[in-house]
Amino acid sequence: MAKKFYITTPIYYVNARPHIGHAYTTIACDAIARRLRMLGAETYFLTGTDEHGQKIERAAQAAGKTPQQLTDEVSSEFRALWDRMGITYDDYIRTTSDRHKRGVQALWRRIRDNGYIYQGSYTGQYCVFDELYVDVVGPGAPCPECGRPTETVKEENYFFKLSAFAEPLLELYAEHPDWIRPETRRNEVMSFVRSGLRDLSISRSTFSWGIPVPDDPKHVIYVWLDALANYITALGYGSDDKALYDKFWPADVQMIGKEIVRFHCVYWPAFLMAAGLPVPKGIVAHGWLLFEESKMSKSRGNIVRAETILDVLGADALRYFLLREVVFGQDGSFSFDALVQRYNADLANGLGNLASRTLTMIARYFRGEIPYPAAAISQRAGDNAIAEAARQVIAESGALFDQYQFSRALEVAWGLVAAVDKYIVENEPWALGEKQDEESRSRLATILYTSAEALRIVTALVHPIIPDATAKIWAQLGLGEIRKFSISDLKWGQLQLGSKLGNVEAVFPRADKSAIERMQKMEEQQRTPSPADTQPAATAPVATPGSAAKPAAVAPDGKITIDDFAKVELRVGQVKAAEKVKGADKLLRLEVDLGTEVRQVVAGIAESYAPEMLIGRKVVIVANLAPRKLRGLESNGMIVAASPEGGKAVLASFLEDVPVGTRLK
């Protein structure tokens, strides 16, 4: 076992509030960190937020805030959620912090001084959403990563000689087959590198929200070079105090989602190689958490907040479900029904019931003291079978956990829970408890000791994943604080005879159907309803052809409240591109800049406006309308226009200039 261990989450981009997709990565890292501490390793666990880039600058402008105000607000929400969930991070890095800025500029200088940065010019497509230069042709061409329209960028930039690192990267992957896990991600990365690497633009000069390039402050450093450096700047790289860097770098594990594999497995090691610094020991990429069969995202409107689950079922329920239900490395589905079903089956009826029934019987029949098992002569085969099963579980679950096979590790542990449940049912300790003869009392002591010892072992093994409940069970067993227990010493027979139990109480009360309904209702209240459910006053939107809009809920006099109107998110957009939809006389395909992103909108205004008339025009967009597909094209929003009966649509517009992205109130 390593004496020290450094693990990192990706730093989360502050363009949206945290949801359980973010929590998934953080929980996995927290479980690893907790287990390593129980194994005696000096563990350093880093998380934080990524706060620079054009997308943030535009989002702040649209919200009427400074970028710093916006990032302060959202970053504090991430940190507050991790604290509420009991995440045991050792440091929380923000890319707007002075220590990070110093470290990034130090890394830039080192790469530059080593001859891997040069000046040039870039003309091509840029995806603001992914903060990514993409190899596609034409204004508005879709990003190959996310599918959103790209923007044409032409500016003087600094470039990184990424092309010089194709062979060193391929050697890294070949010499260390487990450097990227799982293997599917490794194969993707190798294929990408083998296809040829082009030099990478690593500065921007058309916006200012970023870290200035050393000695050339009219440029800001590319957000991904900035963000990736957090893993070393948090350790003091670039400062006078590099004790943590010297101790913990390179990182043992960097946990990421599969959508950012290229940045971490190609760009990041290349930057480090160029600077003459060690690369991390390994990158582990997990799959997506799907809700309603799609990756959770703010733009899709299908996110689930962790707070909803914390309020109803608690943090352990969320932690257990995510790491038990989802095979780590693969995509997994989330639903409230599956969450409650898993909670009741495994936690309430499984571990919780085993703890409650075992400890309650010890309290009732042995005055709350761990009983002495019977002499070996009176033991049965079933007693030894439980002991042997526990020994196997200790070995198997530990090995699986160390390979980040959380679901299998938990499955193995719950196999012991099921075996003990069956053991208790077959041996009927409650029947023996009614008898007072010595043989019955001795047999009862053996059954309850065996059950309690198996409970202790399961509790210790799964503590990194469900820390709150296991800490309570451990205390109920009379064992004190579980965080002080060394899991490397875990073996059968360590439960002290005659030790006094703590106060016995249920740790996982059963959840009924109302739990699902409450969580669904809480999420519905947090989501902004689609404008299909309510119409803004004063203007009549041009309905998306083929969509079925439900009538708004209105009072008997036909009026709606200000709260109803506030649910519709109207924003100022600027048309970047427009063209007719093939085979549809009334439809235009528009690319509309909303400040934080460029949206594709399909609108039924072709009879009123020629495409060339719309380029550069500012329009009003219903921004929170659920996406619809029309003629095979996805429309993400609705153009607002007046439609006189029998006349042509007239776009809503402004007499005075209004910034792109501004919300209408």
Side-chain angles (χ1 to χ4, degrees), residues 445-609:
T446 298
I447 295 167
L448 293 183
Y449 177 86
T450 301
S451 301
E453 175 63 345
L455 172 65
R456 182 188 71 90
I457 285 172
V458 172
T459 300
L461 290 174
V462 302
H463 174 66
I465 290 175
I466 46 174
D468 294 341
T470 50
K472 292 174 183 176
I473 295 172
W474 197 259
Q476 290 178 33
L477 281 163
L479 300 173
E481 295 184 61
I482 192 171
R483 64 183 180 85
K484 296 180 179 179
F485 178 73
S486 173
I487 202 170
S488 58
D489 298 329
L490 184 65
K491 60 184 179 181
W492 181 266
Q494 294 173 320
L495 188 58
Q496 280 193 317
L497 303 176
S499 59
K500 191 76 175 173
L501 297 183
N503 184 39
V504 178
E505 58 184 7
V507 292
F508 290 116
R510 185 173 174 81
D512 57 25
K513 187 177 180 180
S514 68
I516 299 173
E517 295 169 351
R518 277 184 290 153
M519 288 188 288
Q520 289 174 335
K521 186 175 181 180
M522 291 166 70
E523 283 302 299
E524 287 168 4
Q525 290 172 342
Q526 286 294 322
R527 293 176 190 159
T528 306
S530 163
D533 296 324
T534 179
Q535 296 287 350
T539 59
V542 176
T544 306
S547 66
K550 291 190 247 179
V554 296
D557 60 359
K559 295 181 179 179
I560 63 172
T561 68
I562 187 65
D563 291 333
D564 292 326
F565 177 71
K567 294 174 183 177
V568 183
E569 184 180 343
L570 299 171
R571 291 201 178 272
V572 177
Q574 187 171 35
V575 179
K576 293 290 188 181
E579 62 181 9
K580 287 188 175 183
V581 175
K582 188 176 181 180
D585 294 337
K586 297 181 180 180
L587 297 183
L588 292 181
R589 187 190 74 85
L590 309 177
E591 291 168 16
V592 184
D593 184 1
L594 291 182
T596 57
E597 61 181 312
V598 176
R599 296 260 194 103
Q600 176 172 275
V601 176
V602 180
I605 57 174
E607 293 180 331
S608 303
Y609 296 91

Side-chain angles (χ1 to χ4, degrees), residues 349-351 353-355 357-358 361 382-383 385-387 389-390 393 412-430 446-458 492:
N349 298 340
L351 180 62
N353 184 55
L354 175 62
R357 73 196 306 197
T358 300
M361 284 190 286
D383 309 331
I386 293 296
V393 167
V412 167
W414 256 255
L416 181 57
V417 171
V420 179
D421 273 337
K422 182 180 179 183
Y423 168 80
I424 291 173
V425 170
E426 290 176 344
N427 285 277
E428 300 182 329
W430 47 85
T446 298
I447 295 167
L448 293 183
Y449 177 86
T450 301
S451 301
E453 175 63 345
L455 172 65
R456 182 188 71 90
I457 285 172
V458 172
W492 181 266

Side-chain angles (χ1 to χ4, degrees), residues 150-181:
T150 57
E151 297 184 14
T152 302
V153 173
K154 183 175 183 180
E155 57 185 330
E156 295 295 320
N157 288 345
Y158 285 90
F159 283 77
F160 171 68
K161 293 182 181 179
L162 182 63
S163 57
F165 292 92
E167 288 305 317
L169 288 170
L170 290 172
E171 288 177 12
L172 170 66
Y173 310 147
E175 292 174 7
H176 304 281
D178 289 335
W179 193 82
I180 307 171
R181 286 182 282 179

